Amino acid sequence: MAFVKTVSVEDLSCPEIFKAPVILSCSHSVCKECLQKFWETRNTQDCPIYRRRSSKLGPPCNLVLKNVCESLTVESASGSEEVCSLHNEKLKLFCLDDEQPVCVVCRDSEKHVNHRFRPINEAEQLKTALTSFQEKGKLLCFYIQTQSEHTEQQIKEEFKKLHQFLRDEEEASITALRKEEEQKSQMLKEKLEEMNRQISALSDTIKDTEEKMKASDVSILQVRTESTMERAQSSQQDPQILSGALVNVTNYLRNLTFRVWKKMQELVQNTPVTLDPNTAPSRLILSDDLTSLRRSKTQKLVPDNPERFYKYSCVLGSEGFNSGTHFWDVEVGDNSWWIIGLTTESNKRKGADFFNTNLEKLQKVRPELDWDKGKLSFCDALSNKHLRTLTTIFTEKVFPFFYSRDETFPLRILPCCRLMPYSFLVLTISTTTVLLLTSLT
């Protein structure tokens, strides 16, 4: 009857698991390296086990034993667990404070008093998660740096425009001032030249009179002299400064900063709603001034932050509303697939009340929000025609919502053209009129 004997590691050890085993003439097997060392030490060719002299100088390899030992080595390596170098116990725990694997004896030792531990398999999972988080953190830091550099460049470009505007205004004001100075100086010069001509003419008259006094009749000369003296006295009167001869300083300094600011309004524009790029998905392209959006054919790398949409080409306004009335105009133009409306702050970026192009062909749409009354109305911004009103009860902050799948024609939020209305109340008291300016709410 056949039977199977279990082979232990000890049966295959010399004193470790055989490596390149050879078989002696006495049928014993020994590692080739161990046999060579034994023979060199003893200066003999005896069997290390029975001390029987081997008849072969180069014993052959025990191929069967070699294969069995190699298989056992592979199995031991795959199923082995690391052991503690201090206590020879398996490392089954991970110390979170020291960030190293430990055994159960280490856990109870003084070195790890009050330390936190986790099973080694959980620690490996945490380590993997930490590695993943670190990689994402590196990408996020790189994205933040890129965002900052791009934003800084845009800020510089905008201030560059403002600086150029102010430099142009400064140059224009100084040019006008110097022109007036030149004109006033020229007027004064011409006046002085005229006075010099009058003085020169008077001098000639006096000289001529003096010459005639020497040769002419005294009575006739006396009459002529009196007439000449009258003209001379008239010419010797102090010259009068003409009105407006001085530089009109007030014209240049009166409310200078206010007048420049008012003129600057023609250059700058105020958009009631701007887009939040941190909510835009990877396929949505926003303009540098954050007022327009369109879908892209390619994806860009963006971080997985909680505020961002991923499944749909949606983006939110940068500021939300939790009271009052608000409106903003959106140019839809030839965009073929768009949605605009509102979504709540807690909406997890999924879904929103919306208005779309199914009703008619539009160019500009105006959403009008009355948060307190729970109304969101839409009208044609060109004709002011009412299109639709949605009613609900708002209990939290809401954000403007935009969606576009058109890759050619963007949606664009238009600058606000409506100025604050004013009313004038005129009161008449005796002969004094008082104007009271009040801002309408």
Side-chain angles (χ1 to χ4, degrees), residues 248-260:
N248 189 357
V249 177
T250 306
N251 188 48
Y252 301 100
L253 299 183
R254 176 179 52 86
N255 296 326
L256 176 60
T257 55
F258 176 79
R259 288 186 291 109
V260 173

Side-chain angles (χ1 to χ4, degrees), residues 420-433:
M420 179 69 72
Y422 295 98
S423 66
F424 294 89
L425 177 62
V426 181
L427 301 179
T428 302
I429 305 176
S430 299
T431 59
T432 304
T433 301

Side-chain angles (χ1 to χ4, degrees), residues 176-177 180-182 184-185 244-252:
L177 173 62
E180 182 178 355
E181 177 191 5
E182 183 180 354
K184 297 297 175 66
S185 298
L246 300 180
V247 172
N248 189 357
V249 177
T250 306
N251 188 48
Y252 301 100

Side-chain angles (χ1 to χ4, degrees), residues 63-273:
L63 186 60
V64 175
L65 181 59
K66 177 176 179 294
N67 293 337
V68 173
C69 290
E70 288 179 351
S71 299
L72 181 62
T73 301
V74 172
E75 292 177 2
S76 299
S78 61
S80 63
E81 294 184 5
E82 294 184 2
V83 295
C84 177
S85 60
L86 296 177
H87 308 107
N88 201 30
E89 293 285 344
K90 293 181 179 179
L91 300 174
K92 295 184 177 181
L93 301 174
F94 186 83
C95 179
L96 298 179
D97 297 276
D98 292 336
E99 297 184 353
Q100 64 178 15
V102 296
C103 68
V104 291
V105 181
C106 293
R107 177 194 61 188
D108 299 331
S109 66
E110 185 178 355
K111 180 181 178 181
H112 295 279
V113 173
N114 297 326
H115 284 191
R116 298 167 299 160
F117 300 92
R118 289 290 185 276
I120 194 72
N121 57 341
E122 291 185 11
E124 290 297 329
Q125 295 175 359
L126 289 174
K127 185 177 181 180
T128 302
L130 178 61
T131 302
S132 175
F133 180 78
Q134 289 174 340
E135 292 298 324
K136 291 181 179 179
K138 291 179 181 179
L139 292 176
L140 185 60
C141 289
F142 175 77
Y143 186 82
I144 292 174
Q145 181 181 0
T146 303
Q147 263 191 322
S148 178
E149 291 175 354
H150 180 65
T151 304
E152 180 180 345
Q153 184 62 32
Q154 289 179 277
I155 291 173
K156 290 181 178 179
E157 289 295 328
E158 291 300 318
F159 273 97
K160 183 178 179 180
K161 296 177 184 178
L162 295 176
H163 292 161
Q164 186 60 47
F165 171 81
L166 292 176
R167 282 192 293 267
D168 293 342
E169 287 299 306
E170 178 186 12
E171 183 177 355
S173 298
I174 293 177
T175 299
L177 173 62
R178 289 174 178 172
K179 184 177 180 180
E180 182 178 355
E181 177 191 5
E182 183 180 354
Q183 291 174 347
K184 297 297 175 66
S185 298
Q186 182 64 27
M187 290 174 56
L188 181 59
K189 181 180 179 181
E190 292 174 356
K191 182 66 175 176
L192 292 175
E193 290 177 351
E194 181 182 355
M195 292 179 64
N196 288 333
R197 288 194 297 268
Q198 293 177 357
I199 293 174
S200 178
L202 182 60
S203 298
D204 293 341
T205 302
I206 294 174
K207 184 178 180 181
D208 182 62
T209 302
E210 289 176 348
E211 292 177 354
K212 290 181 178 180
M213 286 178 62
K214 298 177 181 179
S216 301
D217 183 30
V218 177
S219 61
I220 297 175
L221 181 60
Q222 184 177 2
V223 175
R224 292 180 177 178
T225 302
E226 291 177 353
S227 176
T228 302
M229 292 300 295
E230 289 178 357
R231 292 199 306 270
Q233 290 177 356
S234 176
S235 301
Q236 289 175 357
Q237 294 178 359
D238 292 338
Q240 297 295 321
I241 299 177
L242 299 178
S243 176
L246 300 180
V247 172
N248 189 357
V249 177
T250 306
N251 188 48
Y252 301 100
L253 299 183
R254 176 179 52 86
N255 296 326
L256 176 60
T257 55
F258 176 79
R259 288 186 291 109
V260 173
W261 170 79
K262 188 175 181 181
K263 190 173 182 180
M264 188 182 292
Q265 289 182 328
E266 302 174 2
L267 174 67
V268 299
Q269 295 179 329
N270 177 36
T271 305
V273 172

